[in-house]
Amino acid sequence: GTMVGSGDLGNYHVEIKGASLTTDYEGNPTVVITYAWTNNSDDTTTSLSSVHARAFQDGVQLENAIVMNEDAFDSSSYMKEVRPGTTIDVQNAFVLTSETSTIEVEIEELISFSDEKVRMDFGPTALS
């Protein structure tokens, strides 16, 4: 099932916190999605190896963006090892295909046999 905004994905809890606009290394409009990721498993792990975030516009998946501006995007957050019971903020960046279409964000467990996902939509006016 689909959970809006936050929910449990297997041994992990995610809460989509927001979206902000920046540009990628080529100057293309880019959205940075921030979500809180909690490791409720018994093992120290990374969000990269546990959940997968995707974004869509007009029904088409967006490409991951390369953002050089460290103030706008923490590119290492999803690779940080996190102990059980700990929450960190994770960011993913995607190149926009439109500056007016709604951005649909979906986060799923990386290896899962369920259809559980956490979803949130960001209209153009919701971006800071």
Side-chain angles (χ1 to χ4, degrees):
T2 300
M3 299 167 280
V4 176
S6 66
D8 291 318
L9 300 170
N11 289 321
Y12 313 102
H13 183 81
V14 299
E15 178 192 350
I16 301 172
K17 297 175 82 170
S20 58
L21 283 179
T22 185
T23 52
D24 73 359
Y25 73 106
E26 292 179 323
N28 299 307
T30 296
V31 63
V32 175
I33 304 297
T34 302
Y35 60 95
W37 171 78
T38 305
N39 178 11
N40 289 323
S41 75
D42 297 330
D43 302 304
T44 299
T45 188
T46 65
S47 78
L48 178 64
S49 59
S50 64
V51 296
H52 179 63
R54 293 182 301 182
F56 297 80
Q57 275 187 312
D58 300 310
V60 180
Q61 185 174 356
L62 301 181
E63 300 280 329
N64 286 304
I66 299 168
V67 178
M68 300 305 192
N69 177 355
E70 289 178 13
D71 293 328
F73 178 58
D74 179 0
S75 61
S76 65
S77 55
Y78 61 90
M79 293 182 286
K80 284 182 181 153
E81 295 273 347
V82 175
R83 297 240 184 253
T86 305
T87 303
I88 62 165
D89 281 353
V90 176
Q91 292 186 320
N92 284 96
F94 303 96
V95 182
L96 295 177
T97 51
S98 160
E99 295 191 58
T100 54
S101 296
T102 296
I103 302 157
E104 302 169 30
V105 178
E106 284 184 358
I107 304 175
E108 296 175 305
E109 202 177 354
L110 193 60
I111 299 160
S112 174
F113 301 103
S114 80
D115 63 354
E116 295 285 300
K117 60 185 162 208
V118 173
R119 179 189 161 141
M120 189 177 275
D121 292 353
F122 294 96
T125 55
L127 302 178
S128 48

